[in-house]
Amino acid sequence: MTRANKTRDSGIETIQMTQNPSFSLISTNKIIQMSDVSTSYDSKNYALEKINLSIDRGTNYAIVGQSGSGKSTLLKLMNGMMNPSGGTIKIDYIAPNMNNKKFKKMMHTIGYIPQSLGLVKNITVLDNILIGALPRLNKVQSFFKKFPEYEITEAKRIISLVGLTGKENRKAYMLSGGEKRRVAIARALMQKPTILLADEIVSELDHVTAKEIMDLIADAQKRMNLTAIMVHHDMQLALEYANRVAVIKEGQKILEIGVEGDTIVDFQTGDMTTEEIMEMHADDTKK
Amino acid sequence: MTPKNNIVIGIVVGLVLVASYNVEANPLEFVEGLPNLGIILEEILVLENIIDNMKYVPSALLAMLETLQMAFIGTVIGVVIGLPFSMLAARNLNSKFIYAPIRILLAIIRTFPSILWAMLFVIVVGLGPFAGVLAIILYTIGFVTKLQFESIETIDSDPMDAVGSIGVSKFQLIRYVVIPEAASHLLGQMLYMFDYNVRQSTILGIVGAGGIGFFIIQYIRFFEYGKAAVYLFVVLIVVLGIEWISVKIRDKYIVKSQHGMEVTKK
Ligand SMILES: Nc1ncnc2c1ncn2[C@@H]1O[C@H](COP(=O)(O)OP(=O)(O)OP(=O)(O)O)[C@@H](O)[C@H]1O
Ligand SMILES: [Mg+2]
């Protein structure tokens, strides 16, 4: 995969934005906005502190950072699984909150692939993927587990898209790590998502498989005008696939980079010192 | 062994002695009474008596069949009614305001042993196996729900969170995640419950709630130990048979499907 393939509709947006910063003020294309967002698991330490970010529709947004820096937590804030203790979050101009009917409806089209994947292990690949269509079933259909024919056709199409044809009836626990990731991606795509949140889904895979899966997502993104927010362990991979890369350190966003093709078009630092930036680059080259 | 352990053991031994005194448990009386068992065995084990009593085998089998049916109906209905209650009692699916009252209700149901339920239902619906079935249902609800909600609470939270974040309904979450994840446990418990209920059903006849126990208690009352022995023997064989079958089913279908999926987590 070359850098050129990476250009997306939003690319134009990004360029416009950087050329004319005031454009962003009137833009209605911000699908995710966070301002001064903090959250914690216990009362003592912040898992995230004063996070500001704004993501354009159609962007491939990467989040990188060391283990424990708060990457997974950031994703959980975006789908309403966690609530901020301070600041505001807007997902398509709605505050994520499971008790809010409007947001609950929006959750149907937010694909979330947790670090642990969250597959139902004792059911088949096909059944796992069909779960993505559950919000579209009526009560009778979901009681009798009767998916309409077109949903099954769609599931099979996605199965072939992710390269799992022939394994539809395999139980999920019998799959390899890479195959499980494909199932989780397929389940998310089955939701007909507008946003895809993916937590380190390629981190433990070999380079070839990782690239295959990233290409798959890039492809789906192009077709569906999907906004993908992906947590990565590997800065290299993030730079290769993402339009924007945010670096999280100890619960704070210390850096955000905009990438166009091979060039960095936008470079914002938080409270980061020059030494720290140098240190980060040193870390990356070690990998 | 720590001094603390010695104190605990001392207390337990003391309590056993005090309780034994209170219930007049006297080992000497047991030893003195043993020859009585010999007299009964002598009567039962005479060859011609055995041959003579063989003619009761068909009626014993028939009574045992009634017992099995009571246990079967009671288990199936009890488990089916119990499942929704278990879902409401599981802490990982409900708020405190739902699971706490449901748990109290189930705990109350669980207080009564099946024989007490049977006595109650004999009063309500009269003598016969129907009272026994009702007793088994109630007992099963009280007992199996505890097993069920405990295993529901141990299922992996990752798929629940992942599917929950799609915004599916509570019913869908139960139907498509909770039940498949807990299925092998739930089936195993159902089998165990049936096993257990067969044994229980054999004694419900004592209070007139149908099944083979009714005959056994009658024969013992009228000192017809030989006939009672035939019936007891049938109980023994059938219960062992059921246990053997349920072990086979468990090994073949349930243990196999319990192999989990290991997603490597950091
Ligand atoms: N369920 C939890 N309860 C308490 N603390 C938690 C919980 N989950 C995460 N944390 C803490 O919050 C901080 C951020 O965790 P988070 O999972 O977001 O990190 P991460 O960047 O995703 O790390 P990794 O790369 O290892 O997945 C860590 O200090 C972690 O210990
Ligand atoms: Mg994480």
Side-chain angles (χ1 to χ4, degrees):
Chain A
M1 172 121 185
T2 59
R3 283 283 163 74
N5 293 11
K6 207 183 60 186
T7 323
R8 273 169 263 305
D9 305 346
S10 66
I12 299 151
E13 259 286 303
T14 318
I15 290 165
Q16 281 175 332
M17 260 181 55
T18 45
Q19 284 169 346
N20 178 9
S22 64
F23 183 81
S24 65
L25 295 173
I26 51 160
S27 167
T28 55
N29 218 14
K30 300 275 174 230
I31 193 157
I32 294 179
Q33 282 175 298
M34 288 191 176
S35 57
D36 284 338
V37 170
S38 302
T39 194
S40 55
Y41 290 93
D42 49 54
S43 49
K44 286 180 220 126
N45 309 307
Y46 280 120
L48 287 173
E49 207 178 342
K50 300 229 181 251
I51 298 283
N52 287 291
L53 55 82
S54 143
I55 300 174
D56 286 354
R57 202 179 291 276
T59 311
N60 186 317
Y61 193 91
I63 300 165
V64 294
Q66 284 170 348
S67 188
S69 54
K71 307 182 293 296
S72 298
T73 308
L74 192 54
L75 286 195
K76 287 184 212 159
L77 285 170
M78 292 178 184
N79 69 357
M81 281 178 79
M82 273 184 77
N83 295 317
S85 55
T88 54
I89 305 178
K90 290 280 157 71
I91 310 295
D92 219 355
Y93 306 96
I94 300 173
N97 180 342
M98 295 226 197
N99 300 321
N100 177 347
K101 273 221 170 79
K102 258 191 180 164
F103 185 73
K104 185 129 196 201
K105 200 151 187 204
M106 183 176 288
M107 285 163 83
H108 299 168
T109 56
I110 300 180
Y112 171 57
I113 307 170
Q115 216 162 345
S116 57
L117 304 179
L119 301 183
V120 183
K121 49 184 170 290
N122 286 323
I123 65 172
T124 63
V125 167
L126 180 64
D127 285 346
N128 263 293
I129 293 169
L130 284 170
I131 284 177
L134 281 181
R136 299 194 288 271
L137 292 196
N138 63 35
K139 286 204 168 76
V140 178
Q141 287 168 328
S142 61
F143 185 85
F144 291 105
K145 209 177 163 195
K146 188 82 196 113
F147 286 87
E149 210 46 55
Y150 58 84
E151 296 288 12
I152 294 172
T153 312
E154 173 68 2
K156 295 209 164 132
R157 188 186 70 81
I158 293 175
I159 286 173
S160 83
L161 192 75
V162 298
L164 283 174
T165 307
K167 300 209 165 90
E168 332 26 16
N169 295 318
R170 187 85 70 87
K171 291 274 167 73
Y173 71 83
M174 293 180 182
L175 299 171
S176 75
E179 287 165 343
K180 281 173 194 157
R181 278 161 181 81
R182 290 168 202 264
V183 176
I185 293 167
R187 179 178 67 192
L189 293 181
M190 195 66 198
Q191 288 175 249
K192 304 199 159 99
T194 50
I195 299 174
L196 181 71
L197 308 172
D199 199 345
E200 295 202 33
I201 53 171
V202 296
S203 295
E204 287 150 30
L205 300 178
D206 62 88
H207 208 60
V208 177
T209 319
K211 287 208 145 201
E212 260 173 42
I213 287 183
M214 286 307 294
D215 288 346
L216 193 86
I217 288 172
D219 188 52
Q221 233 191 323
K222 231 184 300 178
R223 288 190 217 201
M224 305 166 88
N225 190 27
L226 191 64
T227 309
I229 294 105
M230 307 188 72
V231 170
H232 289 295
H233 219 67
D234 180 4
M235 182 61 134
Q236 205 61 47
L237 205 69
L239 287 171
E240 190 168 336
Y241 284 90
N243 308 105
R244 297 192 76 78
V245 181
V247 181
I248 308 286
K249 187 180 179 186
E250 287 164 13
Q252 288 176 316
K253 191 178 94 174
I254 50 171
L255 182 66
E256 182 166 334
I257 316 166
V259 199
E260 269 311 318
D262 276 327
T263 44
I264 288 176
V265 291
D266 182 9
F267 195 87
Q268 306 166 354
T269 58
D271 302 328
M272 206 183 188
T273 61
T274 335
E275 285 82 39
E276 278 177 318
I277 295 172
M278 297 305 287
E279 211 175 284
M280 269 219 19
H281 279 279
D283 280 352
D284 290 333
T285 42
K286 260 185 246 160
K287 277 191 186 152
Chain B
M1 187 144 301
T2 62
K4 203 170 148 199
N5 283 345
N6 287 337
I7 291 170
V8 171
I9 290 169
I11 289 173
V12 171
V13 170
L15 283 176
V16 168
L17 289 178
V18 170
S20 303
Y21 179 79
N22 286 344
V23 300
E24 296 170 20
N26 183 351
L28 277 182
E29 234 172 80
F30 176 71
V31 175
E32 278 166 17
L34 271 182
N36 289 338
L37 196 61
I39 295 169
I40 294 171
L41 281 179
E42 223 168 84
E43 192 184 322
I44 293 169
L45 293 178
V46 175
L47 189 64
E48 51 204 74
N49 283 355
I50 291 179
I51 292 168
D52 195 37
N53 285 331
M54 277 319 226
K55 63 174 182 281
Y56 296 106
V57 169
S59 55
L61 282 175
L62 217 61
M64 192 62 204
L65 184 67
E66 184 178 86
T67 307
L68 283 182
Q69 292 178 63
M70 283 164 58
F72 183 72
I73 303 169
T75 308
V76 171
I77 296 180
V79 167
V80 168
I81 297 175
L83 196 58
F85 281 101
S86 305
M87 295 299 168
L88 292 171
R91 278 177 299 201
N92 52 347
L93 291 174
N94 302 284
S95 75
K96 206 184 205 147
F97 302 103
I98 295 173
Y99 72 70
I102 295 282
R103 276 171 183 235
I104 291 171
L105 175 74
L106 294 174
I108 292 170
I109 294 176
R110 205 162 42 240
T111 351
F112 296 111
S114 56
I115 196 113
L116 280 187
W117 284 118
M119 285 165 79
L120 184 76
F121 284 120
V122 165
I123 296 168
V124 176
V125 300
L127 291 170
F130 184 46
V133 169
L134 292 175
I136 299 277
I137 290 175
L138 260 291
Y139 185 81
T140 302
I141 291 173
F143 196 90
V144 86
T145 45
K146 189 161 160 62
L147 301 176
Q148 285 176 341
F149 70 66
E150 279 173 359
S151 62
I152 289 166
E153 284 173 0
T154 61
I155 66 170
D156 192 358
S157 63
D158 293 334
M160 293 232 291
D161 290 346
V163 176
S165 80
I166 297 175
V168 299
S169 67
K170 173 79 70 67
F171 174 79
Q172 289 176 326
L173 195 67
I174 290 172
R175 176 87 171 77
Y176 292 86
V177 181
V178 176
I179 291 182
E181 285 278 287
S184 57
H185 284 123
L186 298 181
L187 280 175
Q189 287 157 3
M190 194 166 163
L191 219 54
Y192 170 80
M193 211 58 225
F194 176 64
D195 227 39
Y196 194 85
N197 283 341
V198 169
R199 261 167 272 200
Q200 294 210 84
S201 311
T202 60
I203 57 159
L204 294 185
I206 291 172
V207 296
I212 200 166
F214 177 73
F215 298 94
I216 296 173
I217 196 73
Q218 290 305 323
Y219 292 136
I220 291 178
R221 251 181 219 151
F222 294 106
F223 307 108
E224 299 195 66
Y225 297 125
K227 289 184 195 170
V230 171
Y231 278 71
L232 281 172
F233 186 69
V234 166
V235 170
L236 181 81
I237 295 299
V238 172
V239 168
L240 281 179
I242 298 228
E243 184 143 350
W244 182 77
I245 292 170
S246 71
V247 166
K248 287 276 159 219
I249 294 177
R250 213 170 304 216
D251 286 353
K252 188 145 190 215
Y253 297 103
I254 297 177
V255 175
K256 214 194 257 171
S257 66
Q258 264 181 24
H259 291 302
M261 174 173 65
E262 277 87 46
V263 170
T264 36
K265 275 191 234 172
K266 276 177 294 177

